[in-house]
Amino acid sequence: MNPNLMTSTERDRAQSSGLFSHAMAWLAAALKYFKARAALAGLEAKEAALLFGIAAGMAIAALLLILLGYVFLIVTIVFAVAAAFHSRNAWIAVMGVAALLHFGGAVAFLFLALRRVKAGAFSATLDELKKDQQWLTNLANNR
């Protein structure tokens, strides 16, 4: 143990005692060291949580603004197309078509997502675990 890291009482005990006392002094110093590092990690974890919480809030606000901008863009396009038809109520039909296109896109993305989920995750890991299980079964049957 480093004598510079020990208190005078610990140094006196280590000098007057045997191996057990040295080991206990080393263990006490190691525990102090890890306790100090854990306290530092706890403080930094709180700071990181606050930092990432604020960043997450800003990202959510950005997504909300993007969504609102998209809605306003669609409404603008709908009224622009409706104005091209020179009819007072053409916007209703154009808005209906826009809604149907969006619902169709949503259904397509839903089917694509379901297809990906059915493919499964960790397929290589599961294959290896099945091979291990088969190997263990064969090993147990051969004994």
Side-chain angles (χ1 to χ4, degrees):
M1 174 162 193
N2 187 348
N4 296 331
L5 296 177
M6 297 172 54
T7 64
S8 62
T9 308
E10 291 170 333
R11 211 174 1 259
D12 291 342
R13 266 192 249 139
Q15 289 173 352
S16 65
S17 315
L19 180 64
F20 181 74
S21 187
H22 283 288
M24 292 307 294
W26 181 85
L27 182 62
L31 287 176
K32 285 180 189 177
Y33 174 80
F34 287 118
K35 184 178 178 183
R37 293 302 181 256
L40 178 61
L43 289 173
E44 287 186 335
K46 288 178 185 177
E47 290 176 7
L50 181 63
L51 175 73
F52 289 127
I54 290 171
M58 289 180 179
I60 289 170
L63 288 174
L64 178 64
L65 291 173
I66 288 171
L67 179 66
L68 287 173
Y70 179 74
V71 168
F72 291 139
L73 178 66
I74 295 300
V75 170
T76 301
I77 292 170
V78 163
F79 280 104
V81 171
F85 288 114
H86 301 294
S87 173
R88 182 176 180 163
N89 293 326
W91 69 270
I92 296 171
V94 177
M95 188 69 86
V97 170
L100 289 176
L101 287 173
H102 278 85
F103 285 136
V107 169
F109 277 121
L110 182 63
F111 282 130
L112 288 172
L114 288 175
R115 182 193 240 172
R116 289 208 170 213
V117 168
K118 284 183 182 178
F122 304 105
S123 59
T125 302
L126 291 174
D127 290 341
E128 288 300 317
L129 288 174
K130 286 178 185 176
K131 288 177 188 176
D132 291 346
Q133 182 181 15
Q134 184 65 33
W135 179 77
L136 289 171
T137 303
N138 290 338
L139 185 67
N141 289 337
N142 291 336
R143 287 187 178 200

